[in-house]
Amino acid sequence: MSTKDLDQSAAELGMGGKLAPEPDDAGYRKRMERRQQVQKQRVEERNKEKGLILVFTGQGKGKTTAGLGLVLRMLGHGERVAIVQFIKGGWEPGEARALKAFGDQVRWHALGEGFTWETQDRERDQQLVETAWKTALEYLRDEAVKLVLLDELNVALKLGYIDADTVITGLRERPALTHVAVTGRGAPAELVDAADLVTEMTLIYHPFREQGVKAQMGIEF
């Protein structure tokens, strides 16, 4: 059975639970046994390894959180990681404090000075982005670093402080098994096309907008 056929078969068999049409236990068990077989074949056929480009974008909350989840997972496997934050800076978020427990296994660089309406200096913002990108390239080229998180790089791209071609060229310089995660709203089409995984966070409600709730410790920082 081809990969496409296996995927289609998995979709037709479904996830089970109350979604399955069989009312009896025997019929349900038979469906799930077949689903298990198909899933095993799907996993066995997908046996490649490669360093991934993962993009977390969209208007919804959770982009940096998703990237930091990957960081924590990688640290749990004993690997080295690096975090380079564009735009953000000037304060120490809770994540940075927590990750200090991992010592030299993680390197954290907050190389921005805040939002554009806080800095009010395009030339200074440009310089900071260039510095952050140089720092990012050092880690991207380091084979010992398994994951590089480029937090809010999408925002720097959107603001025109760095161009997509420069970023994509740099990402391609990394070793074959090094992963890179890029976060921030407004990921450009070129980066989306170059990525292996793209997740768009969709905003439905936000307490700041709908309820006037301020940024709170442990939630926003």
Side-chain angles (χ1 to χ4, degrees), residues 64-65 68 92-100 108 219-221:
T64 296
T65 303
L68 289 170
E92 185 180 50
E95 303 98 325
R97 296 180 185 180
L99 291 174
K100 284 181 178 179
W108 184 299
I219 303 299
E220 276 79 28
F221 61 91

Side-chain angles (χ1 to χ4, degrees), residues 52-117:
L52 301 175
I53 298 175
L54 309 105
V55 175
F56 301 102
T57 191
Q59 297 296 313
K61 180 174 169 56
K63 298 176 287 293
T64 296
T65 303
L68 289 170
L70 293 174
V71 166
L72 188 59
R73 184 175 294 159
M74 197 65 75
L75 290 171
H77 287 288
E79 300 288 352
R80 287 183 57 197
V81 303
I83 301 162
V84 179
Q85 290 189 306
F86 295 74
I87 310 300
K88 290 178 180 176
W91 73 92
E92 185 180 50
E95 303 98 325
R97 296 180 185 180
L99 291 174
K100 284 181 178 179
F102 290 92
D104 290 340
Q105 196 181 343
V106 58
R107 295 298 177 91
W108 184 299
H109 301 270
L111 298 176
E113 291 182 347
F115 301 112
T116 51
W117 54 87

Side-chain angles (χ1 to χ4, degrees), residues 2-3 15 22 40 43-44 56-57 59 63 77 85 117 120 126 130 144 156 160-161 165 172 177 197 201 208 214:
S2 70
T3 299
M15 295 175 61
E22 291 82 6
K40 183 179 179 182
V43 171
E44 288 174 349
F56 301 102
T57 191
Q59 297 296 313
K63 298 176 287 293
H77 287 288
Q85 290 189 306
W117 54 87
Q120 302 175 19
Q126 176 85 54
E130 289 173 0
Y161 292 139
D165 288 341
R172 288 174 176 161
L177 295 178
L197 179 148
M201 310 296 187
F208 178 84
K214 68 178 184 179

Side-chain angles (χ1 to χ4, degrees), residues 188-199:
E190 299 95 324
L191 180 59
V192 169
D193 290 342
D196 299 287
L197 179 148
V198 180
T199 296

Side-chain angles (χ1 to χ4, degrees), residues 84-91 110-134 151-153 155-163:
V84 179
Q85 290 189 306
F86 295 74
I87 310 300
K88 290 178 180 176
W91 73 92
L111 298 176
E113 291 182 347
F115 301 112
T116 51
W117 54 87
E118 294 170 334
T119 61
Q120 302 175 19
D121 187 336
R122 284 183 294 196
E123 185 176 347
R124 175 64 175 163
D125 290 345
Q126 176 85 54
Q127 292 171 350
L128 290 168
V129 167
E130 289 173 0
T131 298
W133 180 241
K134 288 178 183 177
D151 188 38
E152 302 293 359
L153 175 55
V155 176
L157 283 160
K158 184 177 181 179
L159 293 173
Y161 292 139
I162 188 170
D163 65 82

Side-chain angles (χ1 to χ4, degrees), residues 144-156:
V145 179
K146 190 68 173 179
L147 170 68
V148 181
L149 171 59
L150 304 178
D151 188 38
E152 302 293 359
L153 175 55
N154 287 334
V155 176

